[in-house]
Structures are given as C-alpha cells and as structure tokens.
Amino acid sequence: MTLEEFLDSDLEGFEYLEGELIPMPPTSGKHGDICSNIQWYLQSHVRTNRLGRVYTSDTGFQVGDRMLIPDVAFISAARLPEERETSFSISPDIAIEVVSQSDSQYKVVQKALAYLEAGTSLVWVIEPIAKTVTVYRSETDIQTLTRNDMLIGEDVIEGFSCPVIQLFE
C-alpha cells in the first residue's frame, strides 16, 4: 500500500510507515492518565493565550513519507491550515509520545527523529516508569528531564511550563 492509498482509505487505528501498516493497540489507563494530563496543561495555556491548537491521539499527521498519530500534538496559530477535514499534511510543531508497554526503544527514537526530520520543532517522549520526559530538539540536542524538572514550551509554546511530576499524577 502506498501513502496515497493509505490516506484515501478508511483504515483507522494504524500508522503508516514505509509501506507498512503499524497497528495502534489500545493503551493502559496509566497511559491515558498521562496523555490527559499533558493535553490539559497544554490546552489550558494554548487556548488562554490563543497560540494555536492542541490535538489528541485521534489526529493523524503526514510526517515525510509516513502517517503518524502522536499521543498529543500542537500546531501554532501561524501554521494551522484552514482545511481540517482530513488528517494533516504537515508535521506538528510539537509531537508528544507517551511510551506504552508495546513500544520498543528503537521505534520510539525512530519516530522522534522522523518528526524532527519532517520539521517538528520539539518532540517530547514521556516515559511512565522512570517518570521522565526526553526532549528532542534535533538529532544531537536531546535532554532528559526528571520528576524534579520543569517542562517548558521554549520558543514553540511561549510561556508554557509544567512540573514534570504533574504529568504523572
């Protein structure tokens, strides 16, 4: 199947990667808690300041030659397409992935780098067991935050900050 065929299909619950359909199995309640927390903190700040839109895991993004579904994503008001009846043909400004039991380290890093290669400014990989957030700014600029650190939106979501520990409450 080509990317175009995938985009034209009615398939749901899959990501598309180099001709392969990647099933997106249901996740745990803990995974959902973390996704809800980060989405709520981001949404509160983004809507109050009219900075753009925050999207949940039912929204697809064309990331290079892939169709990916981040757990949470942000698109700035300046980049937000008027046409939103289909999945996005742009990468998000921030892509957030919460590691689940079915994820391998290899696939998580591969996905983070694919977002960056496609133009995403920041990728946040949230690791529930260690209670960390790995911030990818580029292939060589990677920082791991612990529960004692603050997660900030840097120049992508101006003024956003949240204690890392709050993502896991």
Side-chain angles (χ1 to χ4, degrees), residues 94-150:
I94 295 179
I96 302 164
E97 294 288 344
V98 178
V99 177
S100 63
Q101 291 176 331
S102 63
D103 287 329
S104 72
Q105 178 71 14
Y106 177 83
K107 289 200 179 218
V108 170
V109 172
Q110 182 184 40
K111 193 184 282 191
L113 296 178
Y115 282 118
L116 293 172
E117 188 176 303
T120 297
S121 299
L122 288 173
V123 179
W124 295 341
V125 175
I126 301 174
E127 209 304 305
I129 295 172
K131 294 187 169 104
T132 61
V133 178
T134 302
V135 178
Y136 291 80
R137 295 177 194 90
S138 73
E139 198 173 291
T140 58
D141 187 357
I142 302 166
Q143 177 186 19
T144 299
L145 306 175
T146 69
R147 64 190 90 189
N148 297 325
D149 294 318
M150 291 290 286

Side-chain angles (χ1 to χ4, degrees), residues 12-124:
E12 292 185 16
F14 291 91
E15 289 183 326
Y16 176 88
L17 172 63
E18 299 169 352
E20 185 181 348
L21 295 177
I22 310 297
M24 301 299 294
T27 57
S28 68
K30 181 184 233 179
H31 185 277
D33 289 342
I34 295 167
C35 289
S36 292
N37 287 344
I38 188 64
Q39 188 271 337
W40 186 85
Y41 287 113
L42 278 175
Q43 184 78 342
S44 298
H45 181 78
V46 167
R47 286 196 67 109
T48 299
N49 295 288
R50 298 183 177 172
L51 299 175
R53 291 283 201 175
V54 176
Y55 292 93
T56 57
S57 62
D58 49 357
T59 307
F61 291 85
Q62 190 171 339
V63 177
D65 61 349
R66 306 164 190 225
M67 178 57 65
L68 299 178
I69 304 169
D71 290 311
V72 180
F74 166 76
I75 300 179
S76 67
R79 292 187 61 239
L80 194 62
E82 282 190 38
E83 168 58 40
R84 296 194 289 266
E85 294 297 321
T86 61
S87 57
F88 287 107
S89 60
I90 62 170
S91 63
D93 292 295
I94 295 179
I96 302 164
E97 294 288 344
V98 178
V99 177
S100 63
Q101 291 176 331
S102 63
D103 287 329
S104 72
Q105 178 71 14
Y106 177 83
K107 289 200 179 218
V108 170
V109 172
Q110 182 184 40
K111 193 184 282 191
L113 296 178
Y115 282 118
L116 293 172
E117 188 176 303
T120 297
S121 299
L122 288 173
V123 179
W124 295 341

